[in-house]
Amino acid sequence: MISIEEVAKINNLINSCDELISGKFILSEYKIAKILRDIGESKEVYKLLAQCMQNFNFERELSRAEIALPRKKFVLPEEPEKILPFVFCLLMEINNKKINLNSFLSDYYSDEENVDPFSKFANEVVKPFRNIIYNYFKDADEEEEQTPAPQQVEEQQETTASIEKSEEEEKIDNFFSECENICKDILSELEYERKKDLVDDAKYVVETMITACEEKNFRTLSALIISFGAMSESLKSIRFLTRELKNILISFFG
């Protein structure tokens, strides 16, 4: 059964999605970042996304979603197991400024008069994502409550859970280690950065990320990686390393 703490974290994510769906374009960037933070906080949502990210190719699905003829429109994948990782990656790209949200809305969601493009985007993209997560955990929780497992099955599940936990812990350790090493490389590169006015702020963020790695604070680290992407675009010497850092975060769900 899902723990009370996890239920609260999943509800936080659902509420964050609802806030974006019912809101306006203003503060949309903040609301998207909040959704991504909530995803990073929930182990259960992470596990679900990790399953869906296997063999998932965002670039390929994005090219399929962008339809130009007879008019531009944006179509999500049909399969729920593709919608989850697709929307997650799309929100990551928007949050990291790889996709300009204003231009994206203008290209694909401004074809109808008197219809707010952001509202249309939220309902056609974020709402299906939200509903899949809500229904998945609602059904899973009800199934666990209604179907008591025999003792032997419980013992097998405990053994499997123990193995999975060990593998999961190793994966998490490797994630923090890789991130810390890249952060240290970034600090080294910043010593030679010409834009000295931006270096101090960048160093502070990177040093905070290293501390998060040492403390294994996934919530703080993932939020900093996401926000640091925009900052690093002005610092040519660390762009590549910062993209590697983002790729490690995305791969962590794969």
Side-chain angles (χ1 to χ4, degrees):
M1 182 178 293
I2 300 174
S3 68
I4 295 176
E5 181 181 3
E6 273 299 312
V7 170
K9 291 177 179 178
I10 294 167
N11 285 337
N12 286 340
L13 172 58
I14 298 300
N15 291 335
S16 294
C17 290
D18 287 341
E19 287 178 11
L20 187 142
I21 293 166
S22 62
K24 301 295 182 182
F25 180 80
I26 187 171
L27 298 180
S28 58
E29 292 184 357
Y30 164 78
K31 292 176 181 178
I32 288 173
K34 188 172 185 297
I35 289 173
L36 294 172
R37 285 198 299 272
D38 289 340
I39 290 173
E41 288 182 9
S42 172
K43 292 181 180 179
E44 293 294 333
V45 174
Y46 154 71
K47 284 168 59 178
L48 176 60
L49 271 170
Q51 293 171 3
C52 295
M53 289 287 281
Q54 293 179 11
N55 302 318
F56 176 78
N57 187 307
F58 175 64
E59 287 74 18
R60 181 175 63 237
E61 295 300 332
L62 181 62
S63 67
R64 292 174 176 173
E66 296 173 328
I67 299 175
L69 297 174
R71 60 177 175 77
K72 280 191 173 183
K73 61 179 179 178
F74 197 79
V75 180
L76 291 186
E78 294 182 358
E79 305 91 333
E81 64 272 16
K82 285 187 178 181
I83 292 176
L84 286 181
F86 182 81
V87 175
F88 168 72
C89 291
L90 180 65
L91 294 180
M92 285 280 287
E93 293 292 288
I94 292 172
N95 190 72
N96 289 333
K97 313 299 182 184
K98 302 300 181 184
I99 293 177
N100 182 284
L101 181 57
N102 206 19
S103 299
F104 182 77
L105 295 176
S106 178
D107 285 343
Y108 296 108
Y109 293 96
S110 300
D111 57 316
E112 296 181 26
E113 294 183 3
N114 301 321
V115 176
D116 176 40
F118 179 76
S119 177
K120 190 176 180 184
F121 161 76
N123 279 281
E124 292 184 6
V125 175
V126 180
K127 192 171 183 178
F129 174 83
R130 177 255 189 224
N131 289 345
I132 291 170
I133 291 176
Y134 175 81
N135 290 327
Y136 177 86
F137 288 107
K138 176 176 177 291
D139 293 342
D141 194 47
E142 289 177 352
E143 183 177 337
E144 288 178 354
E145 288 180 358
Q146 295 173 5
T147 312
Q151 182 177 354
Q152 184 177 2
V153 175
E154 289 181 355
E155 291 173 354
Q156 291 174 345
Q157 289 176 337
E158 289 174 1
T159 301
T160 302
S162 177
I163 295 173
E164 290 177 349
K165 182 179 180 181
S166 177
E167 293 175 347
E168 186 69 21
E169 288 173 349
E170 183 179 357
K171 182 177 180 180
I172 291 172
D173 288 341
N174 290 337
F175 167 75
F176 284 116
S177 177
E178 290 178 8
C179 288
E180 184 175 357
N181 288 335
I182 290 182
C183 285
K184 290 177 179 178
D185 289 341
I186 291 175
L187 285 180
S188 297
E189 291 296 328
L190 285 173
E191 295 297 329
Y192 305 99
E193 174 60 47
R194 294 179 180 180
K195 296 183 179 179
K196 300 299 182 183
D197 55 321
L198 302 177
V199 168
D200 287 343
D201 288 341
K203 281 185 176 180
Y204 174 78
V205 175
V206 176
E207 288 168 354
T208 305
M209 285 196 282
I210 290 175
T211 300
C213 289
E214 293 171 347
E215 296 175 352
K216 296 185 177 180
N217 188 329
F218 183 83
R219 174 185 177 184
T220 299
L221 180 60
S222 58
L224 288 171
I225 290 174
I226 291 168
S227 60
F228 191 65
M231 178 185 291
S232 68
E233 286 301 309
S234 301
L235 298 168
K236 186 176 180 180
S237 64
I238 62 170
R239 284 179 191 167
F240 175 76
L241 288 171
T242 305
R243 288 168 186 164
E244 285 296 299
L245 201 58
K246 185 196 77 170
N247 289 335
I248 289 174
L249 178 61
I250 293 175
S251 297
F252 186 66
F253 291 92

